[in-house]
Structures are given as structure tokens and as C-alpha cells.
Short mmCIF file of all heavy atoms in Angstrom, two decimals:
data_model
loop_
_atom_site.label_atom_id
_atom_site.label_comp_id
_atom_site.label_asym_id
_atom_site.label_seq_id
_atom_site.Cartn_x
_atom_site.Cartn_y
_atom_site.Cartn_z
N LEU A 194 11.07 9.57 -7.19
CA LEU A 194 10.27 9.94 -6.03
C LEU A 194 11.09 10.15 -4.76
O LEU A 194 10.70 10.92 -3.89
CB LEU A 194 9.21 8.87 -5.77
CG LEU A 194 8.27 8.58 -6.93
CD1 LEU A 194 7.36 7.42 -6.59
CD2 LEU A 194 7.48 9.82 -7.29
N GLY A 195 12.22 9.45 -4.65
CA GLY A 195 13.03 9.59 -3.44
C GLY A 195 14.30 8.79 -3.51
O GLY A 195 14.42 7.84 -4.29
N VAL A 196 15.26 9.18 -2.70
CA VAL A 196 16.55 8.50 -2.60
C VAL A 196 16.85 8.32 -1.12
O VAL A 196 16.78 9.28 -0.35
CB VAL A 196 17.68 9.33 -3.26
CG1 VAL A 196 19.00 8.60 -3.18
CG2 VAL A 196 17.34 9.67 -4.70
N HIS A 197 17.15 7.07 -0.71
CA HIS A 197 17.36 6.77 0.70
C HIS A 197 18.64 5.94 0.88
O HIS A 197 18.85 4.98 0.16
CB HIS A 197 16.17 6.00 1.27
CG HIS A 197 14.87 6.66 1.00
ND1 HIS A 197 14.42 7.75 1.69
CD2 HIS A 197 13.91 6.40 0.08
CE1 HIS A 197 13.25 8.13 1.22
NE2 HIS A 197 12.92 7.32 0.23
N ASP A 198 19.44 6.31 1.84
CA ASP A 198 20.67 5.60 2.18
C ASP A 198 20.41 4.74 3.41
O ASP A 198 20.00 5.25 4.45
CB ASP A 198 21.78 6.62 2.45
CG ASP A 198 23.06 6.00 2.94
OD1 ASP A 198 23.23 4.78 2.83
OD2 ASP A 198 23.92 6.76 3.44
N SER A 199 20.69 3.45 3.32
CA SER A 199 20.43 2.52 4.42
C SER A 199 21.27 2.81 5.66
O SER A 199 20.89 2.47 6.76
CB SER A 199 20.68 1.08 3.97
OG SER A 199 22.06 0.89 3.66
N ARG A 200 22.40 3.46 5.49
CA ARG A 200 23.32 3.71 6.62
C ARG A 200 23.36 5.18 7.04
O ARG A 200 24.07 5.53 7.96
CB ARG A 200 24.74 3.26 6.24
CG ARG A 200 24.89 1.82 5.80
CD ARG A 200 24.73 0.83 6.94
NE ARG A 200 25.64 1.06 8.03
CZ ARG A 200 26.85 0.52 8.17
NH1 ARG A 200 27.31 -0.30 7.27
NH2 ARG A 200 27.58 0.80 9.22
N ASN A 201 22.66 6.04 6.35
CA ASN A 201 22.66 7.47 6.63
C ASN A 201 24.09 8.04 6.63
O ASN A 201 24.49 8.77 7.52
CB ASN A 201 21.96 7.79 7.95
CG ASN A 201 21.71 9.27 8.12
OD1 ASN A 201 21.60 10.01 7.15
ND2 ASN A 201 21.64 9.72 9.35
N LEU A 202 24.84 7.69 5.59
CA LEU A 202 26.21 8.16 5.46
C LEU A 202 26.39 9.10 4.26
O LEU A 202 27.44 9.71 4.12
CB LEU A 202 27.17 6.97 5.31
CG LEU A 202 27.22 6.01 6.49
CD1 LEU A 202 28.07 4.79 6.14
CD2 LEU A 202 27.74 6.69 7.73
N LEU A 203 25.38 9.19 3.41
CA LEU A 203 25.49 9.99 2.20
C LEU A 203 24.43 11.08 2.16
O LEU A 203 23.32 10.91 2.66
CB LEU A 203 25.32 9.10 0.96
CG LEU A 203 26.31 7.96 0.79
CD1 LEU A 203 25.92 7.12 -0.42
CD2 LEU A 203 27.72 8.47 0.65
N THR A 204 24.78 12.19 1.53
CA THR A 204 23.87 13.27 1.24
C THR A 204 23.70 13.29 -0.28
O THR A 204 24.67 13.08 -1.01
CB THR A 204 24.45 14.61 1.72
OG1 THR A 204 24.64 14.52 3.14
CG2 THR A 204 23.53 15.77 1.41
N PHE A 205 22.48 13.54 -0.74
CA PHE A 205 22.20 13.48 -2.18
C PHE A 205 21.71 14.81 -2.71
O PHE A 205 20.98 15.53 -2.04
CB PHE A 205 21.11 12.43 -2.46
CG PHE A 205 21.49 11.05 -2.04
CD1 PHE A 205 21.05 10.55 -0.84
CD2 PHE A 205 22.28 10.27 -2.84
CE1 PHE A 205 21.39 9.28 -0.43
CE2 PHE A 205 22.63 8.99 -2.45
CZ PHE A 205 22.19 8.50 -1.24
N GLU A 206 22.09 15.07 -3.95
CA GLU A 206 21.49 16.13 -4.77
C GLU A 206 20.92 15.41 -5.98
O GLU A 206 21.53 14.48 -6.49
CB GLU A 206 22.53 17.13 -5.25
CG GLU A 206 23.02 18.10 -4.24
CD GLU A 206 24.02 19.09 -4.85
OE1 GLU A 206 23.83 19.49 -6.02
OE2 GLU A 206 24.97 19.41 -4.16
N VAL A 207 19.77 15.83 -6.46
CA VAL A 207 19.16 15.23 -7.65
C VAL A 207 18.96 16.33 -8.68
O VAL A 207 18.33 17.35 -8.40
CB VAL A 207 17.81 14.56 -7.31
CG1 VAL A 207 17.18 14.00 -8.58
CG2 VAL A 207 17.99 13.48 -6.26
N ASP A 208 19.52 16.13 -9.86
CA ASP A 208 19.32 17.05 -10.97
C ASP A 208 18.51 16.35 -12.05
O ASP A 208 18.75 15.18 -12.35
CB ASP A 208 20.67 17.47 -11.58
CG ASP A 208 21.50 18.32 -10.64
OD1 ASP A 208 20.91 18.99 -9.76
OD2 ASP A 208 22.74 18.31 -10.76
N THR A 209 17.57 17.04 -12.63
CA THR A 209 16.79 16.51 -13.75
C THR A 209 17.53 16.87 -15.04
O THR A 209 17.71 18.05 -15.33
CB THR A 209 15.37 17.10 -13.77
OG1 THR A 209 14.74 16.78 -12.53
CG2 THR A 209 14.56 16.54 -14.92
N LEU A 210 17.95 15.85 -15.79
CA LEU A 210 18.64 16.09 -17.05
C LEU A 210 17.64 16.18 -18.20
O LEU A 210 17.72 17.08 -19.03
CB LEU A 210 19.66 14.97 -17.32
CG LEU A 210 20.75 14.81 -16.26
CD1 LEU A 210 21.64 13.63 -16.60
CD2 LEU A 210 21.58 16.08 -16.14
N VAL A 211 16.73 15.20 -18.27
CA VAL A 211 15.64 15.20 -19.25
C VAL A 211 14.38 14.85 -18.46
O VAL A 211 14.31 13.75 -17.91
CB VAL A 211 15.88 14.16 -20.37
CG1 VAL A 211 14.70 14.15 -21.34
CG2 VAL A 211 17.19 14.43 -21.10
N PRO A 212 13.43 15.76 -18.35
CA PRO A 212 12.24 15.48 -17.53
C PRO A 212 11.58 14.15 -17.90
O PRO A 212 11.40 13.84 -19.07
CB PRO A 212 11.31 16.65 -17.85
CG PRO A 212 12.23 17.76 -18.26
CD PRO A 212 13.36 17.08 -18.99
N ASN A 213 11.30 13.36 -16.87
CA ASN A 213 10.64 12.05 -16.99
C ASN A 213 11.48 10.98 -17.70
O ASN A 213 10.99 9.91 -18.00
CB ASN A 213 9.29 12.16 -17.70
CG ASN A 213 8.36 13.11 -16.98
OD1 ASN A 213 8.24 13.08 -15.76
ND2 ASN A 213 7.72 13.98 -17.73
N LYS A 214 12.77 11.26 -17.94
CA LYS A 214 13.63 10.31 -18.66
C LYS A 214 14.99 10.09 -18.00
O LYS A 214 15.46 8.97 -17.93
CB LYS A 214 13.87 10.78 -20.11
CG LYS A 214 12.67 10.77 -20.99
CD LYS A 214 12.40 9.38 -21.48
CE LYS A 214 11.30 9.38 -22.52
NZ LYS A 214 10.88 8.05 -22.87
N GLN A 215 15.64 11.18 -17.57
CA GLN A 215 17.01 11.07 -17.05
C GLN A 215 17.20 11.97 -15.83
O GLN A 215 16.83 13.15 -15.87
CB GLN A 215 18.04 11.49 -18.10
CG GLN A 215 18.14 10.59 -19.29
CD GLN A 215 19.27 11.02 -20.21
OE1 GLN A 215 20.20 11.70 -19.80
NE2 GLN A 215 19.18 10.61 -21.46
N TYR A 216 17.81 11.37 -14.81
CA TYR A 216 18.12 12.11 -13.59
C TYR A 216 19.58 11.84 -13.22
O TYR A 216 20.12 10.78 -13.51
CB TYR A 216 17.22 11.66 -12.44
CG TYR A 216 15.76 11.91 -12.71
CD1 TYR A 216 14.99 10.96 -13.36
CD2 TYR A 216 15.17 13.10 -12.35
CE1 TYR A 216 13.65 11.19 -13.63
CE2 TYR A 216 13.83 13.34 -12.61
CZ TYR A 216 13.08 12.37 -13.26
OH TYR A 216 11.77 12.61 -13.52
N LEU A 217 20.20 12.81 -12.60
CA LEU A 217 21.58 12.66 -12.15
C LEU A 217 21.60 12.75 -10.62
O LEU A 217 21.16 13.76 -10.05
CB LEU A 217 22.46 13.76 -12.74
CG LEU A 217 23.94 13.70 -12.39
CD1 LEU A 217 24.58 12.45 -13.01
CD2 LEU A 217 24.65 14.95 -12.86
N LEU A 218 22.04 11.68 -9.97
CA LEU A 218 22.20 11.67 -8.52
C LEU A 218 23.63 12.03 -8.20
O LEU A 218 24.55 11.47 -8.78
CB LEU A 218 21.91 10.29 -7.94
CG LEU A 218 20.57 9.66 -8.20
CD1 LEU A 218 20.51 8.30 -7.53
CD2 LEU A 218 19.47 10.55 -7.68
N LYS A 219 23.82 12.94 -7.28
CA LYS A 219 25.15 13.28 -6.79
C LYS A 219 25.19 12.89 -5.32
O LYS A 219 24.43 13.43 -4.52
CB LYS A 219 25.43 14.77 -6.96
CG LYS A 219 25.47 15.22 -8.40
CD LYS A 219 25.72 16.71 -8.49
CE LYS A 219 25.71 17.19 -9.91
NZ LYS A 219 25.90 18.64 -10.00
N ALA A 220 26.04 11.93 -5.00
CA ALA A 220 26.16 11.44 -3.63
C ALA A 220 27.47 11.92 -3.03
O ALA A 220 28.51 11.89 -3.69
CB ALA A 220 26.10 9.92 -3.61
N LYS A 221 27.39 12.35 -1.78
CA LYS A 221 28.56 12.88 -1.10
C LYS A 221 28.53 12.40 0.35
O LYS A 221 27.46 12.39 0.97
CB LYS A 221 28.49 14.41 -1.15
CG LYS A 221 29.60 15.14 -0.52
CD LYS A 221 29.38 16.63 -0.75
CE LYS A 221 30.40 17.47 -0.04
NZ LYS A 221 30.23 18.88 -0.30
N PRO A 222 29.66 11.96 0.91
CA PRO A 222 29.68 11.55 2.32
C PRO A 222 29.26 12.71 3.22
O PRO A 222 29.65 13.85 2.99
CB PRO A 222 31.14 11.16 2.58
CG PRO A 222 31.70 10.86 1.23
CD PRO A 222 30.97 11.77 0.28
N ASN A 223 28.46 12.41 4.23
CA ASN A 223 28.04 13.44 5.18
C ASN A 223 28.88 13.35 6.46
O ASN A 223 29.86 12.62 6.52
CB ASN A 223 26.54 13.34 5.45
CG ASN A 223 26.14 12.03 6.10
OD1 ASN A 223 26.92 11.37 6.77
ND2 ASN A 223 24.90 11.65 5.89
N GLU A 224 28.49 14.10 7.46
CA GLU A 224 29.25 14.13 8.73
C GLU A 224 29.35 12.75 9.38
O GLU A 224 30.36 12.43 10.00
CB GLU A 224 28.61 15.12 9.70
CG GLU A 224 28.83 16.57 9.30
CD GLU A 224 30.30 16.97 9.34
OE1 GLU A 224 31.01 16.59 10.29
OE2 GLU A 224 30.73 17.67 8.41
N ASN A 225 28.31 11.93 9.25
CA ASN A 225 28.35 10.58 9.82
C ASN A 225 29.47 9.75 9.20
O ASN A 225 30.14 8.98 9.88
CB ASN A 225 27.01 9.86 9.63
CG ASN A 225 25.89 10.54 10.36
OD1 ASN A 225 26.09 11.19 11.37
ND2 ASN A 225 24.69 10.41 9.83
N ALA A 226 29.67 9.90 7.91
CA ALA A 226 30.71 9.14 7.21
C ALA A 226 32.11 9.56 7.66
O ALA A 226 33.03 8.74 7.70
CB ALA A 226 30.58 9.32 5.71
N LEU A 227 32.28 10.81 8.01
CA LEU A 227 33.59 11.28 8.43
C LEU A 227 34.00 10.73 9.80
O LEU A 227 35.17 10.80 10.16
CB LEU A 227 33.62 12.81 8.45
CG LEU A 227 33.41 13.47 7.08
CD1 LEU A 227 33.43 14.98 7.21
CD2 LEU A 227 34.46 13.00 6.09
N GLN A 228 33.05 10.15 10.53
CA GLN A 228 33.35 9.56 11.84
C GLN A 228 33.73 8.08 11.74
O GLN A 228 34.06 7.47 12.75
CB GLN A 228 32.13 9.70 12.76
CG GLN A 228 31.62 11.12 12.91
CD GLN A 228 32.69 12.08 13.41
OE1 GLN A 228 33.44 11.76 14.31
NE2 GLN A 228 32.77 13.25 12.80
N LEU A 229 33.66 7.51 10.54
CA LEU A 229 33.93 6.07 10.38
C LEU A 229 35.37 5.74 10.73
O LEU A 229 36.29 6.51 10.49
CB LEU A 229 33.65 5.64 8.94
CG LEU A 229 32.20 5.72 8.49
CD1 LEU A 229 32.10 5.42 7.00
CD2 LEU A 229 31.34 4.75 9.29
N LYS A 230 35.55 4.53 11.24
CA LYS A 230 36.89 4.03 11.59
C LYS A 230 37.33 2.88 10.69
O LYS A 230 38.44 2.41 10.79
CB LYS A 230 36.90 3.53 13.04
CG LYS A 230 36.49 4.59 14.05
CD LYS A 230 37.56 5.63 14.21
CE LYS A 230 37.18 6.57 15.34
NZ LYS A 230 37.58 7.92 15.10
N ARG A 231 36.42 2.39 9.85
CA ARG A 231 36.76 1.26 8.99
C ARG A 231 35.98 1.36 7.68
O ARG A 231 35.06 2.16 7.55
CB ARG A 231 36.45 -0.06 9.68
CG ARG A 231 35.02 -0.24 10.10
CD ARG A 231 34.81 -1.52 10.89
NE ARG A 231 33.51 -1.56 11.50
CZ ARG A 231 32.41 -1.96 10.91
NH1 ARG A 231 32.44 -2.35 9.66
NH2 ARG A 231 31.26 -1.97 11.55
N VAL A 232 36.35 0.52 6.71
CA VAL A 232 35.65 0.46 5.43
C VAL A 232 34.21 0.04 5.69
O VAL A 232 33.95 -0.86 6.49
CB VAL A 232 36.34 -0.54 4.48
CG1 VAL A 232 35.55 -0.72 3.21
CG2 VAL A 232 37.76 -0.08 4.18
N THR A 233 33.27 0.70 5.04
CA THR A 233 31.85 0.46 5.28
C THR A 233 31.10 0.36 3.96
O THR A 233 31.41 1.08 3.01
CB THR A 233 31.25 1.62 6.12
OG1 THR A 233 31.99 1.74 7.32
CG2 THR A 233 29.80 1.38 6.44
N SER A 234 30.13 -0.52 3.92
CA SER A 234 29.27 -0.68 2.75
C SER A 234 27.85 -0.28 3.11
O SER A 234 27.46 -0.31 4.27
CB SER A 234 29.28 -2.13 2.26
OG SER A 234 30.56 -2.51 1.85
N GLY A 235 27.09 0.08 2.09
CA GLY A 235 25.69 0.45 2.31
C GLY A 235 24.89 0.25 1.05
O GLY A 235 25.40 -0.19 0.02
N LEU A 236 23.62 0.58 1.14
CA LEU A 236 22.69 0.41 0.04
C LEU A 236 21.88 1.68 -0.14
O LEU A 236 21.38 2.26 0.83
CB LEU A 236 21.74 -0.76 0.33
CG LEU A 236 20.72 -1.11 -0.73
CD1 LEU A 236 21.41 -1.70 -1.96
CD2 LEU A 236 19.71 -2.10 -0.17
N VAL A 237 21.77 2.12 -1.38
CA VAL A 237 20.95 3.27 -1.72
C VAL A 237 19.73 2.76 -2.47
O VAL A 237 19.85 1.99 -3.43
CB VAL A 237 21.72 4.28 -2.61
CG1 VAL A 237 20.81 5.39 -3.10
CG2 VAL A 237 22.91 4.84 -1.86
N LYS A 238 18.55 3.16 -2.02
CA LYS A 238 17.30 2.80 -2.69
C LYS A 238 16.78 4.03 -3.40
O LYS A 238 16.59 5.08 -2.78
CB LYS A 238 16.27 2.29 -1.69
CG LYS A 238 16.65 0.96 -1.10
CD LYS A 238 15.55 0.42 -0.23
CE LYS A 238 16.00 -0.94 0.30
NZ LYS A 238 14.91 -1.66 0.93
N VAL A 239 16.56 3.89 -4.70
CA VAL A 239 16.02 4.97 -5.52
C VAL A 239 14.59 4.59 -5.85
O VAL A 239 14.35 3.57 -6.51
CB VAL A 239 16.85 5.16 -6.81
CG1 VAL A 239 16.28 6.28 -7.66
CG2 VAL A 239 18.33 5.40 -6.48
#
């Protein structure tokens, strides 16, 4: 139903591999992540 990043540092693409059974999330750092000055952790809620 949705994918959310707690820190707004990632951009997601979602591909359906097998309908109603398997999905592939592709996460990529966005512009906010490129501004970071230190190691950062976050949480993704699916």
C-alpha cells in the first residue's frame, strides 16, 4: 500500500514481481541525503 522513509532521505521505486505475492523495492538516496555531513540511520515503513 505504501513505502515511507522516516528521514525523507530515500526515493523509492516499487516493481511487482508476482501480483499479490512479491514486490521489489528499489531505494536510492535523494537530494536530502546528498547534503548529509555524517553517517545517518533511518527507518522505512512498508
Side-chain angles (χ1 to χ4, degrees):
L194 303 175
V196 182
H197 309 283
D198 174 14
S199 65
R200 304 288 304 269
N201 192 26
L202 298 173
L203 301 175
T204 300
F205 300 98
E206 284 183 37
V207 178
D208 293 334
T209 302
L210 300 177
V211 178
N213 302 316
K214 293 281 187 188
Q215 293 185 21
Y216 298 89
L217 182 66
L218 302 180
K219 296 178 183 178
K221 181 176 175 177
N223 62 26
E224 288 296 318
N225 296 332
L227 297 179
Q228 305 304 316
L229 294 173
K230 302 288 187 215
R231 59 185 169 85
V232 174
T233 303
S234 297
L236 181 70
V237 173
K238 291 185 179 192
V239 180

